[in-house]
Amino acid sequence: MDKSRPSVDENTPFYFPNNKMDQDIERSLRAKVIQHVVVSIARNNRVYTPRFLASIKSLYGEAEAAHLEIKGLIPDSKMEQYRVVCREGCSHCCGLTVNVAIPELYLIFEYLRSTRSEEELKELAQDLKAYVTAMEESNSVTEKLKIKCSFLKGDKCSIYEQRPMSCRAWNSRSVSHCIEYLEDQEVDIPSSALHYTPYNVFRQGIQRALSVMGFEDIVEELNSGILRLLEGEYGT
Ligand code: SF4
């Protein structure tokens, strides 16, 4: 399982539960956002230029705003079913594969270049290489899930401000389910649509826009993707 494809149990309120109003909100949000993202990206259609990356970057703020807007539409009486247990210092999910669209990868790379010294980037490249090797050498999903993302430092995400849409969307309503999942991948982790939907819709919008513009809808694993960019830039 990767962070952009959580398991869905029909008995858990993953998507807005059986309530017509909620389903309508989700449907109209999905249509509006995807159209908006396609138009906004197409206006800046030279991929990976600073202007293009800035247009993708602005979508993170918009996804945050959409999250708050939907939250405002949910009555207090229903809020309990959307309450998540994710918090700083809890990182059970940071062993899941994180696949990102290529422009997101460039944004994280730019973020690293503007916030890290050359020495720190070289150290990061070593961590990323160790991650990639460990993943290649591990034989089972359970073993791979124990290999944490290289950006996790002291149980905190060191690129939190620029973390991918998949990581923003991922959430859990039960820590014990997250822990059980690490040993038994049949376990479903109950999630909240309130947190998942806005970020996931923006994530899908970026991918849809790239394919509408004629670019391949490629996603790349976060750690190996950043390593590739660092090696290209610094020959580490
Ligand atoms: S990018 Fe951050 S939130 Fe996402 S898996 Fe890595 S450490 Fe965790």
Side-chain angles (χ1 to χ4, degrees):
M1 178 158 71
D2 74 61
K3 274 192 162 178
S4 59
R5 291 187 189 84
S7 66
V8 180
D9 177 349
E10 285 177 5
N11 297 317
T12 60
F14 190 85
Y15 289 98
F16 290 114
N18 298 330
N19 175 308
K20 190 168 180 325
M21 182 194 80
D22 290 344
Q23 287 176 356
D24 286 348
I25 291 169
E26 182 179 343
R27 202 170 300 119
S28 94
L29 175 76
R30 190 175 296 277
K32 270 192 215 151
V33 168
I34 289 180
Q35 187 193 18
H36 164 74
V37 174
V38 170
V39 170
S40 121
I41 292 180
R43 277 203 191 116
N44 300 285
N45 66 1
R46 292 180 56 220
V47 171
Y48 313 147
T49 60
R51 189 173 163 209
F52 173 78
L53 291 177
S55 93
I56 302 265
K57 191 167 186 174
S58 69
L59 299 173
Y60 289 86
E62 292 187 38
E64 297 281 348
H67 172 216
L68 290 177
E69 197 179 324
I70 308 175
K71 197 172 174 186
L73 296 171
I74 296 176
D76 288 348
S77 57
K78 291 179 78 184
M79 199 46 108
E80 188 51 37
Q81 67 199 33
Y82 299 110
R83 204 172 302 286
V84 300
V85 292
C86 307
R87 55 172 177 76
E88 192 175 298
C90 183
S91 58
H92 299 298
C93 67
C94 290
L96 293 174
T97 301
V98 178
N99 286 325
V100 293
I102 305 296
E104 279 200 282
L105 207 55
Y106 275 89
L107 274 181
I108 293 165
F109 182 55
E110 286 306 318
Y111 173 79
L112 290 166
R113 284 208 303 192
S114 65
T115 56
R116 308 283 200 276
S117 66
E118 196 154 324
E119 208 43 51
E120 287 170 328
L121 290 175
K122 283 186 176 157
E123 275 172 32
L124 173 62
Q126 294 309 316
D127 293 346
L128 294 164
K129 270 184 200 161
Y131 173 95
V132 171
T133 306
M135 288 298 260
E136 282 168 359
E137 288 175 354
S138 62
N139 296 316
S140 69
V141 176
T142 306
E143 254 181 62
K144 287 184 197 294
L145 284 169
K146 290 184 180 138
I147 303 166
K148 295 292 173 102
C149 173
S150 304
F151 296 106
L152 188 70
K153 302 285 177 211
D155 263 343
K156 286 186 197 166
C157 175
S158 60
I159 55 166
Y160 191 78
E161 279 170 64
Q162 196 53 65
R163 70 198 185 287
M165 288 287 183
S166 298
C167 297
R168 289 165 198 251
W170 184 267
N171 68 84
S172 166
R173 303 189 65 247
S174 164
V175 181
S176 61
H177 283 73
C178 293
I179 295 170
E180 282 168 33
Y181 179 83
L182 297 177
E183 297 300 333
D184 174 6
Q185 288 81 54
E186 295 296 311
V187 170
D188 283 316
I189 301 169
S191 308
S192 158
L194 172 59
H195 295 74
Y196 175 75
T197 302
Y199 300 108
N200 190 48
V201 169
F202 274 87
R203 184 188 66 76
Q204 291 174 330
I206 292 171
Q207 290 184 235
R208 181 80 59 87
L210 290 172
S211 83
V212 165
M213 288 159 58
F215 294 98
E216 275 187 83
D217 180 12
I218 301 171
V219 291
E220 192 161 339
E221 192 281 315
L222 172 64
N223 291 257
S224 52
I226 294 293
L227 178 60
R228 182 175 58 75
L229 293 177
L230 280 172
E231 284 177 333
E233 184 88 356
Y234 296 100
T236 49

Coordinates of all heavy atoms in Angstrom, one line a residue, residues 86-141:
C86 N -3.7 11.6 14.2 CA -2.3 11.9 13.7 C -1.8 13.1 14.5 O -2.6 14.1 14.8 CB -2.3 12.2 12.3 SG -3.1 10.9 11.3
R87 N -0.6 13.1 14.9 CA 0.0 14.2 15.6 C 1.5 14.1 15.5 O 2.1 13.1 15.1 CB -0.3 14.1 17.1 CG 0.1 12.8 17.7 CD -0.1 12.7 19.2 NE 0.3 11.4 19.6 CZ 1.5 10.9 19.7 NH1 2.5 11.7 19.4 NH2 1.7 9.7 20.1
E88 N 2.2 15.3 15.8 CA 3.6 15.3 15.7 C 4.2 14.2 16.6 O 3.8 14.0 17.7 CB 4.1 16.7 16.2 CG 5.6 17.0 15.9 CD 6.0 18.4 16.2 OE1 5.4 19.3 15.7 OE2 6.8 18.5 17.1
G89 N 5.2 13.5 16.1 CA 5.9 12.5 16.9 C 5.3 11.1 16.7 O 5.8 10.1 17.2
C90 N 4.2 11.0 15.9 CA 3.6 9.7 15.6 C 3.9 9.5 14.1 O 3.5 10.3 13.2 CB 2.1 9.7 15.8 SG 1.4 8.1 15.4
S91 N 4.7 8.4 13.8 CA 5.2 8.3 12.4 C 5.0 6.8 11.9 O 5.8 6.4 11.1 CB 6.6 8.7 12.4 OG 7.4 7.9 13.3
H92 N 4.1 6.1 12.4 CA 3.9 4.7 12.0 C 3.7 4.6 10.5 O 4.1 3.6 9.9 CB 2.7 4.1 12.7 CG 2.9 4.0 14.2 ND1 3.9 3.3 14.8 CD2 2.2 4.6 15.2 CE1 3.8 3.5 16.1 NE2 2.8 4.3 16.4
C93 N 3.1 5.6 9.9 CA 2.8 5.6 8.5 C 4.0 6.0 7.6 O 3.9 5.9 6.4 CB 1.6 6.5 8.1 SG 1.9 8.2 8.4
C94 N 5.1 6.4 8.2 CA 6.2 6.9 7.4 C 7.1 5.8 6.8 O 8.1 6.1 6.2 CB 7.0 8.0 8.1 SG 6.0 9.5 8.4
G95 N 6.6 4.6 7.0 CA 7.3 3.5 6.3 C 6.5 3.0 5.0 O 7.0 2.2 4.3
L96 N 5.4 3.7 4.8 CA 4.6 3.4 3.6 C 5.3 4.0 2.4 O 5.9 5.1 2.6 CB 3.2 4.0 3.7 CG 2.2 3.3 4.7 CD1 1.0 4.2 4.8 CD2 1.9 1.9 4.4
T97 N 5.2 3.4 1.3 CA 5.8 4.1 0.1 C 5.1 5.4 -0.2 O 3.8 5.5 -0.2 CB 5.6 3.1 -1.1 OG1 6.2 1.9 -0.8 CG2 6.2 3.7 -2.4
V98 N 5.8 6.4 -0.5 CA 5.3 7.7 -0.9 C 5.6 7.9 -2.4 O 6.7 8.2 -2.7 CB 5.8 8.9 0.0 CG1 5.2 10.2 -0.5 CG2 5.6 8.6 1.4
N99 N 4.6 7.8 -3.2 CA 4.7 8.1 -4.6 C 4.3 9.5 -4.9 O 3.2 10.0 -4.4 CB 3.9 7.1 -5.5 CG 4.6 5.8 -5.5 OD1 5.8 5.7 -5.5 ND2 3.8 4.7 -5.5
V100 N 5.1 10.3 -5.7 CA 4.8 11.7 -5.9 C 4.8 12.0 -7.4 O 5.6 11.4 -8.1 CB 5.7 12.7 -5.2 CG1 5.5 12.6 -3.7 CG2 7.2 12.4 -5.5
A101 N 4.0 13.0 -7.8 CA 4.1 13.4 -9.2 C 5.4 14.1 -9.4 O 5.9 14.7 -8.5 CB 2.9 14.3 -9.5
I102 N 6.0 14.1 -10.6 CA 7.3 14.7 -10.9 C 7.4 16.2 -10.4 O 8.3 16.6 -9.8 CB 7.7 14.5 -12.3 CG1 7.7 13.0 -12.7 CG2 9.1 15.1 -12.6 CD1 8.6 12.1 -12.0
P103 N 6.4 17.0 -10.8 CA 6.5 18.4 -10.3 C 6.6 18.6 -8.8 O 7.3 19.4 -8.3 CB 5.2 19.1 -10.8 CG 4.7 18.2 -11.9 CD 5.2 16.8 -11.6
E104 N 5.9 17.7 -8.1 CA 6.0 17.7 -6.6 C 7.4 17.4 -6.2 O 8.0 18.0 -5.2 CB 5.0 16.7 -6.0 CG 3.6 17.2 -5.9 CD 2.9 16.3 -4.8 OE1 2.5 15.2 -5.2 OE2 2.7 16.8 -3.7
L105 N 8.0 16.5 -6.9 CA 9.4 16.1 -6.6 C 10.3 17.3 -6.7 O 11.2 17.6 -5.9 CB 9.8 15.0 -7.6 CG 10.9 14.0 -7.2 CD1 10.5 13.3 -5.9 CD2 11.0 12.9 -8.3
Y106 N 10.1 18.0 -7.8 CA 11.0 19.2 -8.1 C 10.7 20.3 -7.0 O 11.7 21.0 -6.6 CB 10.7 19.8 -9.5 CG 11.4 19.1 -10.6 CD1 10.9 18.0 -11.2 CD2 12.7 19.6 -10.9 CE1 11.7 17.4 -12.2 CE2 13.4 19.0 -11.9 CZ 12.9 17.9 -12.5 OH 13.6 17.2 -13.5
L107 N 9.5 20.4 -6.5 CA 9.2 21.4 -5.5 C 10.0 21.0 -4.2 O 10.5 21.9 -3.5 CB 7.7 21.4 -5.2 CG 6.9 22.3 -6.0 CD1 5.4 22.3 -5.6 CD2 7.4 23.8 -6.0
I108 N 10.0 19.7 -3.9 CA 10.7 19.3 -2.7 C 12.2 19.5 -2.8 O 12.9 20.0 -1.9 CB 10.3 17.8 -2.3 CG1 8.9 17.7 -1.9 CG2 11.2 17.3 -1.2 CD1 8.3 16.3 -1.9
F109 N 12.7 19.2 -4.0 CA 14.1 19.4 -4.3 C 14.5 20.9 -4.2 O 15.5 21.2 -3.6 CB 14.4 18.9 -5.7 CG 15.8 19.0 -6.2 CD1 16.8 18.4 -5.4 CD2 16.2 19.7 -7.3 CE1 18.1 18.5 -5.8 CE2 17.5 19.7 -7.7 CZ 18.5 19.2 -7.0
E110 N 13.6 21.8 -4.7 CA 13.9 23.2 -4.6 C 13.8 23.6 -3.1 O 14.7 24.4 -2.7 CB 12.8 24.0 -5.4 CG 13.0 24.0 -6.9 CD 14.4 24.4 -7.3 OE1 14.9 25.4 -6.7 OE2 15.0 23.8 -8.2
Y111 N 12.9 23.1 -2.4 CA 12.8 23.4 -1.0 C 14.1 23.0 -0.2 O 14.6 23.8 0.6 CB 11.6 22.7 -0.4 CG 11.4 22.8 1.1 CD1 10.9 23.9 1.7 CD2 11.8 21.7 2.0 CE1 10.8 24.1 3.1 CE2 11.7 21.9 3.3 CZ 11.2 23.0 3.9 OH 11.1 23.1 5.3
L112 N 14.6 21.8 -0.6 CA 15.8 21.3 0.1 C 17.0 22.2 -0.3 O 17.8 22.6 0.6 CB 16.1 19.9 -0.3 CG 15.1 18.8 0.2 CD1 15.3 17.5 -0.5 CD2 15.4 18.6 1.7
R113 N 17.1 22.6 -1.5 CA 18.2 23.4 -2.0 C 18.2 24.8 -1.3 O 19.2 25.4 -1.1 CB 18.2 23.6 -3.5 CG 18.6 22.4 -4.2 CD 19.3 22.7 -5.5 NE 18.3 23.4 -6.4 CZ 18.6 23.6 -7.7 NH1 19.6 23.2 -8.2 NH2 17.7 24.3 -8.4
S114 N 17.0 25.3 -1.0 CA 16.9 26.6 -0.4 C 17.0 26.6 1.1 O 17.1 27.6 1.8 CB 15.6 27.3 -0.8 OG 14.5 26.6 -0.3
T115 N 16.9 25.4 1.7 CA 16.9 25.3 3.2 C 18.1 24.5 3.8 O 18.3 24.5 5.0 CB 15.6 24.7 3.8 OG1 15.4 23.4 3.2 CG2 14.4 25.5 3.5
R116 N 18.9 23.8 2.9 CA 20.0 23.0 3.4 C 21.3 23.5 2.8 O 21.4 23.9 1.7 CB 19.8 21.5 3.0 CG 18.4 20.9 3.3 CD 18.3 20.5 4.8 NE 17.3 19.6 5.0 CZ 16.0 19.8 5.2 NH1 15.6 21.1 5.2 NH2 15.2 18.8 5.5
S117 N 22.4 23.3 3.6 CA 23.7 23.6 3.1 C 24.1 22.4 2.2 O 23.5 21.4 2.2 CB 24.7 23.7 4.2 OG 24.8 22.4 4.8
E118 N 25.2 22.7 1.4 CA 25.7 21.6 0.5 C 26.1 20.4 1.3 O 25.9 19.3 0.9 CB 26.9 22.2 -0.3 CG 27.2 21.3 -1.5 CD 27.9 22.0 -2.6 OE1 27.5 23.2 -2.9 OE2 28.7 21.4 -3.3
E119 N 26.7 20.6 2.5 CA 27.1 19.5 3.3 C 25.9 18.7 3.8 O 25.9 17.5 3.7 CB 27.8 20.1 4.6 CG 28.9 19.2 5.2 CD 29.8 18.5 4.2 OE1 30.4 19.1 3.3 OE2 29.9 17.3 4.3
E120 N 24.9 19.4 4.2 CA 23.6 18.7 4.6 C 23.0 17.9 3.5 O 22.5 16.9 3.7 CB 22.6 19.8 5.2 CG 23.0 20.3 6.5 CD 22.2 21.5 7.0 OE1 21.7 22.3 6.1 OE2 22.0 21.6 8.2
L121 N 23.1 18.5 2.3 CA 22.5 17.8 1.1 C 23.3 16.5 0.8 O 22.7 15.5 0.5 CB 22.5 18.7 -0.1 CG 21.5 19.8 -0.1 CD1 21.6 20.8 -1.3 CD2 20.0 19.3 0.0
K122 N 24.6 16.6 1.0 CA 25.4 15.4 0.8 C 25.1 14.3 1.9 O 25.0 13.1 1.6 CB 26.9 15.7 0.9 CG 27.3 16.4 -0.4 CD 28.8 16.6 -0.5 CE 29.1 17.2 -1.9 NZ 30.4 17.9 -1.9
E123 N 24.9 14.7 3.1 CA 24.5 13.8 4.2 C 23.1 13.2 3.8 O 22.9 12.0 4.0 CB 24.4 14.5 5.5 CG 25.7 14.6 6.3 CD 25.6 15.5 7.5 OE1 24.5 15.5 8.1 OE2 26.6 16.2 7.8
L124 N 22.2 14.0 3.3 CA 20.9 13.5 3.0 C 21.0 12.5 1.9 O 20.3 11.5 1.9 CB 20.0 14.7 2.5 CG 18.6 14.3 1.9 CD1 17.8 13.6 3.0 CD2 17.9 15.6 1.4
A125 N 21.9 12.8 0.9 CA 22.1 11.8 -0.2 C 22.5 10.4 0.3 O 22.1 9.4 -0.1 CB 23.1 12.3 -1.2
Q126 N 23.4 10.5 1.4 CA 23.8 9.2 2.0 C 22.6 8.5 2.6 O 22.5 7.3 2.5 CB 24.9 9.4 3.0 CG 26.2 10.0 2.5 CD 26.7 9.2 1.3 OE1 26.7 8.0 1.3 NE2 27.2 9.9 0.3
D127 N 21.8 9.2 3.3 CA 20.6 8.6 3.9 C 19.7 8.0 2.9 O 19.1 7.0 3.0 CB 19.8 9.7 4.7 CG 20.5 10.2 5.9 OD1 21.5 9.5 6.3 OD2 20.1 11.2 6.5
L128 N 19.5 8.8 1.8 CA 18.6 8.3 0.7 C 19.2 7.1 0.1 O 18.4 6.1 -0.3 CB 18.4 9.4 -0.3 CG 17.7 10.7 0.1 CD1 17.9 11.8 -0.8 CD2 16.2 10.4 0.3
K129 N 20.5 7.0 -0.1 CA 21.1 5.8 -0.7 C 20.9 4.6 0.2 O 20.6 3.5 -0.2 CB 22.6 6.0 -0.9 CG 23.0 6.6 -2.2 CD 24.5 6.7 -2.3 CE 24.9 7.7 -3.4 NZ 26.2 8.2 -3.3
A130 N 21.0 4.9 1.5 CA 20.8 3.8 2.5 C 19.4 3.3 2.4 O 19.1 2.1 2.5 CB 21.2 4.2 3.9
Y131 N 18.5 4.2 2.3 CA 17.0 3.8 2.2 C 16.8 3.0 0.9 O 16.2 1.9 1.0 CB 16.2 5.1 2.1 CG 14.7 4.9 1.8 CD1 13.8 4.8 2.8 CD2 14.3 4.7 0.5 CE1 12.5 4.5 2.6 CE2 12.9 4.4 0.2 CZ 12.0 4.4 1.3 OH 10.7 4.1 1.0
V132 N 17.3 3.4 -0.2 CA 17.1 2.7 -1.5 C 17.7 1.3 -1.4 O 17.1 0.3 -1.8 CB 17.7 3.5 -2.7 CG1 17.6 2.7 -3.9 CG2 16.9 4.8 -2.8
T133 N 18.9 1.2 -0.8 CA 19.6 -0.1 -0.7 C 18.8 -1.0 0.2 O 18.5 -2.2 -0.1 CB 21.0 0.1 -0.2 OG1 21.7 1.0 -1.0 CG2 21.8 -1.2 -0.1
A134 N 18.3 -0.5 1.3 CA 17.6 -1.3 2.3 C 16.3 -1.8 1.7 O 15.9 -3.0 1.8 CB 17.3 -0.5 3.6
M135 N 15.6 -0.9 0.9 CA 14.4 -1.4 0.2 C 14.7 -2.5 -0.8 O 13.9 -3.4 -0.9 CB 13.7 -0.2 -0.5 CG 13.1 0.8 0.4 SD 11.8 0.1 1.4 CE 10.4 0.6 0.5
E136 N 15.8 -2.3 -1.5 CA 16.1 -3.3 -2.5 C 16.4 -4.7 -1.9 O 16.1 -5.7 -2.4 CB 17.3 -2.9 -3.4 CG 17.0 -1.8 -4.4 CD 18.2 -1.2 -5.1 OE1 19.3 -1.5 -4.7 OE2 18.0 -0.3 -5.9
E137 N 17.0 -4.6 -0.7 CA 17.5 -5.8 -0.1 C 16.4 -6.5 0.8 O 16.6 -7.6 1.2 CB 18.7 -5.5 0.8 CG 19.9 -5.3 -0.1 CD 21.2 -4.8 0.7 OE1 21.0 -4.7 2.0 OE2 22.2 -4.7 0.1
S138 N 15.3 -5.8 1.1 CA 14.3 -6.4 1.9 C 13.4 -7.2 1.1 O 13.1 -6.9 -0.1 CB 13.6 -5.4 2.8 OG 12.9 -4.5 1.9
N139 N 12.9 -8.3 1.6 CA 12.2 -9.3 0.8 C 10.7 -9.3 1.0 O 9.9 -9.9 0.3 CB 12.7 -10.7 1.1 CG 14.1 -10.8 0.7 OD1 14.5 -10.4 -0.4 ND2 15.0 -11.4 1.5
S140 N 10.2 -8.7 2.1 CA 8.8 -8.8 2.3 C 8.2 -7.4 2.6 O 8.9 -6.4 2.9 CB 8.5 -9.6 3.6 OG 9.0 -9.0 4.7
V141 N 6.9 -7.2 2.4 CA 6.2 -6.0 2.7 C 6.4 -5.6 4.1 O 6.7 -4.4 4.4 CB 4.7 -6.1 2.3 CG1 4.0 -4.8 2.7 CG2 4.5 -6.4 0.9

